[in-house]
Amino acid sequence: MNYYNEHIETASADKMRALQSERLKTAVGRCYNNVPLYKKKLDEAGVKPADIKTIDDIIKLPFTTKQDLRDSYPFDMFAVPMGDIVRIHASSGTTGKQTVVGYTKNDIDVWSEGAARSLIAYGAAKTDVFHVSYGYGLFTGGLGLHYGSETIGAATVPVSAGNTERQVEIMRDFGSDVLCCTPSYAMFIGETLKKMNIDPKSLKLRIGIFGAEPWTENMRLEIEKALAIDAYDIYGLSEVAGPGVSFECKEKNGLHVNEDFFYPEIVDKDTLEPVPDGEYGELVFTCIGKEAMPLLRYRTRDVSALTREKCPCGRTLVKMLRPKGRTDDMLIIRGVNVFPSQIEHVILSFGMEPNYQIVVDRENNLDTMTVKIEMSEKFFSDEIKQLEAAQKKISEGLMSALSVSAKVRLVEPDSIPRSMGKAVRVVDSRRI
């Protein structure tokens, strides 16, 4: 099968709405009849499945939150019998009960097709070798890209994360064409290549597929330089589906949403009212293509915007702009909203390495923010006066971009801990 699904990916607005409307009605009926929490929520909202006639009626439905999933731990959100469940994934549960997600065989096929569409959009092919360095296990990243690459018929190397020098050797020996991992780990692989004196151009790698954490356009340029590849964004979340919910195309200008499976909305995070296209707000998804756990209006906490402008690639699927952070990751420093991605953008614009950590504290009842940035080798040999000047310049850049002061500390190379998965960018000591 050709996983450029032209029938869906270039569908007219009317055709897509008709499909979404039918699937929404099915999903609401399934939730109402099989999930006690949804029956209660819908009854409290005064909504019956018969009230949902078109996709426009989605605004009548109540929202679902991560707390709802925790309260339903482990399997009370499942809308099918356990005999129909073929896979169970779960979040890390670092801030409470982990969220558990079940999949039927059809759900796995839906997820695999979404991932496969993504890979084709990046220019990947059946003849490629995929090096999957996302974590496997309960985390959805590894298996999501694994199933996607196998779906298009490509050779898949399930390396997972860690032992980076060995990963480099495998990429070189196996002739890997496509790298799948978090953007921060991609940069670490780039550093490792440098330490091993390996020219990235000597590898066959040509495509990188990165997600699971916010990253900036400047970070993309750094990765592309460090690995000599084209770097693309992919989006997913464990509660909805892993990677493949949305994907960039060759234009690298927003992520096409597989909206025949996952219907997106953007709402104001405070009022929860829908906002116009192009305006940033909280991203919300309804799983209109899933059987086991068809979430209704799930609040992702990701900050994004939607655009329906025509894409030169020919796809008519709505685009979501690259998430610039999460509403629950947003820092409030002396009353100012600050996203780590904004800080990263400034750091990289000054030519610094993308290895940094933001430390927030409170002194004399006043919020303080210190940004630690690793020096590159070229900075490390500079005189103290030059380093102080560089710190001052970056600090002024942060003040200009954020409207809040931040102390900048240039630290020794390799002194900030590396992560094989999502990088720990923020240490907020105010909560301790």
Side-chain angles (χ1 to χ4, degrees), residues 42-81:
L42 288 163
D43 284 345
E44 288 175 349
V47 178
K48 299 294 182 186
D51 298 327
I52 307 301
K53 296 178 172 60
T54 74
I55 195 67
D56 292 333
D57 293 325
I58 199 166
I59 60 172
K60 298 177 182 178
L61 300 174
F63 290 93
T64 309
T65 66
K66 181 167 279 193
Q67 190 58 48
D68 289 327
L69 274 62
R70 289 181 179 136
D71 291 343
S72 302
Y73 178 87
F75 304 140
D76 287 351
M77 289 294 289
F78 291 1
V80 298

Side-chain angles (χ1 to χ4, degrees), residues 342-362:
Q342 293 173 296
I343 293 173
E344 179 181 290
H345 179 80
V346 173
I347 290 170
L348 296 181
S349 71
F350 281 95
M352 304 303 294
E353 300 290 335
N355 299 312
Y356 65 93
Q357 194 165 65
I358 304 157
V359 180
V360 183
D361 210 334
R362 184 166 285 133

Side-chain angles (χ1 to χ4, degrees), residues 190-208:
E191 289 178 16
T192 304
L193 282 173
K194 192 173 181 181
K195 288 177 181 176
M196 295 172 71
N197 293 315
I198 295 174
D199 182 352
K201 293 179 181 177
S202 69
L203 302 179
K204 276 191 68 185
L205 278 183
R206 72 177 198 282
I207 296 172

Side-chain angles (χ1 to χ4, degrees), residues 355-359 370-374 407 409 411 416:
N355 299 312
Y356 65 93
Q357 194 165 65
I358 304 157
V359 180
T370 301
V371 182
K372 298 183 191 176
I373 310 167
E374 279 189 10
K407 183 179 179 181
R409 280 181 52 204
V411 298
I416 293 175

Side-chain angles (χ1 to χ4, degrees), residues 206-225:
R206 72 177 198 282
I207 296 172
I209 301 171
F210 309 120
E213 61 187 14
W215 55 306
T216 61
E217 193 62 28
N218 280 342
M219 175 73 106
R220 188 208 301 271
L221 297 175
E222 291 290 329
I223 291 172
E224 291 184 335
K225 179 182 175 184

